[in-house]
Amino acid sequence: MKNVQTFCEQHNITLRHQYLLWCQGESDGDHHTSADEYTKQFMHMYEKLKAVGIEHCFLIGIGAYNGTADDICYDEIRNAQYSFAEHRKDITVVSRLFETMKARGLMKDSFHYYQAGYNEVGKDAAINTAKYVLTTVE
């Protein structure tokens, strides 16, 4: 963050806003991280980013596990993400579409999506982020 801020200053680029777009958590699901621990680790990271200028986090909820291990499920992590977004004004969920990809046959392996799935989620997140940025009073 500081390197980007310095670069922008040196090149007379004005940063009007500094946002975080977050999509992560599958590895935590694979490692059976509890919702409380995931939330604690996310908030620790997010507070560090806020201290150096991040104003708002736009969150893309994680999808579903598509592998054969019976003991892996991403629901707890995804629900934690949605929960802390519900309780903080500076975190907004901008796409929930990854959670539909498994049922729609858009996963190419245990963890990854076909490009069509990524494109769909990217478009959804971009539209919802833009709506927030353009309609929220500063």
Side-chain angles (χ1 to χ4, degrees):
M1 280 296 299
K2 290 184 182 195
N3 288 343
V4 170
Q5 292 164 338
T6 299
F7 175 88
C8 289
E9 287 173 15
Q10 292 172 344
H11 293 86
N12 296 318
I13 298 170
T14 301
L15 294 173
R16 292 185 305 145
H17 297 284
Q18 296 176 69
Y19 299 129
L20 171 67
L21 179 63
W22 185 257
C23 181
Q24 180 280 337
E26 293 87 350
S27 295
D28 295 290
D30 295 342
H31 295 111
H32 308 288
T33 303
S34 70
D36 288 342
E37 184 61 24
Y38 180 83
T39 301
K40 178 182 167 187
Q41 291 176 10
F42 175 86
M43 290 304 168
H44 178 75
M45 180 242 3
Y46 185 48
E47 291 304 324
K48 286 183 175 270
L49 289 170
K50 286 181 64 84
V52 293
I54 290 294
E55 303 165 46
H56 198 97
C57 174
F58 298 103
L59 187 133
I60 298 172
I62 63 170
Y65 176 66
N66 193 41
T68 59
D70 292 334
D71 66 333
I72 295 178
C73 182
Y74 297 162
D75 294 353
E76 188 172 355
I77 300 299
R78 186 182 331 99
N79 291 337
Q81 291 175 328
Y82 295 160
S83 179
F84 56 69
E86 288 174 8
H87 295 95
R88 290 187 63 132
K89 292 180 181 180
D90 60 343
I91 300 173
T92 302
V93 176
V94 291
S95 185
R96 296 175 180 246
L97 291 180
F98 274 139
E99 67 186 88
T100 71
M101 298 293 158
K102 180 178 178 179
R104 294 171 51 214
L106 289 170
M107 294 188 75
K108 68 179 183 178
D109 61 28
S110 297
F111 314 99
H112 302 100
Y113 309 96
Y114 288 111
Q115 190 61 51
Y118 287 116
N119 293 349
E120 188 178 319
V121 171
K123 182 178 179 180
D124 188 46
I127 289 169
N128 290 321
T129 299
K131 283 179 186 175
Y132 180 93
V133 170
L134 295 174
T135 62
T136 300
V137 179
E138 296 180 21

